[in-house]
Amino acid sequence: DTGVSQDPRHKITKRGQNVTFRCDPISEHNRLYWYRQTLGQGPEFLTYFQNEAQLEKSRLLSDRFSAERPKGSFSTLEIQRTEQGDSAMYLCASSLTTGDSPLHFGNGTRLTVT
Amino acid sequence: QQPVQSPQAVILREGEDAVINCSSSKALYSVHWYRQKHGEAPVFLMILLKGGEQKGHEKISASFNEKKQQSSLYLTASQLSYSGTYFCGTGHNDYKLSFGAGTTVTVRA
């Protein structure tokens, strides 16, 4: 168990640019989640994959956000035309399929949009 | 669907006890508790699945009242290492968690 890894750890970008983050979950975990966390708040659900299928996407998520999980392994989260309001910590988590499985979080990617 | 946590913050001296509450407006499938230290990822503490269930983790335990849609986390004889922000995550199905805004716990020597 090497844990959930995320890359990059920090990303500074100018408004209007596109950014892509990568998440490598724990290898035997079928479920993968993306959450967003801003200062003083809890993680906010963005999207969820079961293997390669994206089964739920937050209604709060604009169409500038897209996520993929090809072949049910690693996942990418892309934000197009970034805005200052996108600045946040983006957390990836993975878990086993059973409902009583804990989420294992990565250390996150901190995005700053200037 | 975001659960409500209280209090927002608590300051303790080593050895003191504290209770953190988490309540939901919707029926719950599960409640998860996590602790996050500054600049780190949230770390899993425990899951509660059944009404009235209690679980323990060292001197940290929790209860889940399914009928009241509430859970409480109990910090007993607090240690310096208990400092951090505690989040409850509530599940209304078997795959998605919604997190509260967190309770910041500061334990002082």
Side-chain angles (χ1 to χ4, degrees):
Chain A
D1 181 354
T2 56
V4 178
S5 62
Q6 292 187 244
D7 184 69
R9 290 295 306 274
H10 300 92
K11 179 71 177 179
I12 300 174
T13 190
K14 292 186 177 181
R15 189 174 52 192
Q17 298 295 304
N18 299 342
V19 294
T20 300
F21 310 142
R22 178 181 171 119
C23 170
D24 287 273
I26 294 171
S27 57
E28 62 268 27
H29 285 183
N30 300 99
R31 295 180 170 179
L32 186 145
Y33 302 81
W34 286 98
Y35 281 85
R36 176 172 61 191
Q37 187 176 27
T38 53
L39 195 63
Q41 296 298 315
E44 176 192 10
F45 173 83
L46 295 180
T47 191
Y48 154 69
F49 290 85
Q50 172 88 15
N51 298 312
E52 68 275 10
Q54 186 176 21
L55 298 184
E56 185 166 338
K57 184 175 175 180
S58 170
R59 286 172 291 176
L60 301 175
L61 212 57
S62 79
D63 56 9
R64 297 184 297 107
F65 288 72
S66 62
E68 294 182 340
R69 192 183 182 196
K71 301 180 182 178
S73 55
F74 70 93
S75 176
T76 57
L77 177 69
E78 181 183 16
I79 309 174
Q80 296 182 327
R81 305 181 303 280
T82 53
E83 301 172 356
Q84 287 189 324
D86 297 332
S87 295
M89 176 72 82
Y90 289 83
L91 293 168
C92 175
S94 68
S95 75
L96 294 170
T97 307
T98 56
D100 60 351
S101 297
L103 298 186
H104 296 259
F105 284 90
N107 285 323
T109 294
R110 181 167 296 285
L111 173 66
T112 302
V113 182
T114 61
Chain B
Q1 294 186 3
Q2 183 182 26
V4 177
Q5 283 187 239
S6 63
Q8 287 186 320
V10 59
I11 299 174
L12 303 168
R13 291 200 178 275
E14 271 188 297
E16 291 183 338
D17 303 339
V19 180
I20 300 170
N21 299 303
C22 174
S23 64
S24 173
S25 58
K26 291 182 62 175
L28 294 173
Y29 174 87
S30 66
V31 178
H32 295 216
W33 286 96
Y34 293 79
R35 179 173 61 207
Q36 185 176 33
K37 293 185 181 279
H38 183 69
E40 299 179 7
V43 174
F44 169 75
L45 294 176
M46 65 190 77
I47 294 174
L48 301 103
L49 291 175
K50 298 180 180 178
E53 183 181 44
Q54 282 195 281
K55 280 196 172 181
H57 175 78
E58 297 179 344
K59 292 182 180 178
I60 299 175
S61 61
S63 63
F64 177 22
N65 187 319
E66 190 176 353
K67 288 184 179 179
K68 291 186 176 180
Q69 298 165 185
Q70 294 174 345
S71 178
S72 295
L73 187 73
Y74 306 93
L75 307 181
T76 306
S78 58
Q79 306 169 13
L80 294 176
S81 62
Y82 287 2
S83 292
T85 301
Y86 290 77
F87 294 100
C88 69
T90 51
H92 306 290
N93 50 43
D94 75 339
Y95 65 88
K96 176 182 171 183
L97 290 182
S98 298
F99 288 91
T103 296
T104 300
V105 173
T106 304
V107 182
R108 294 179 175 167

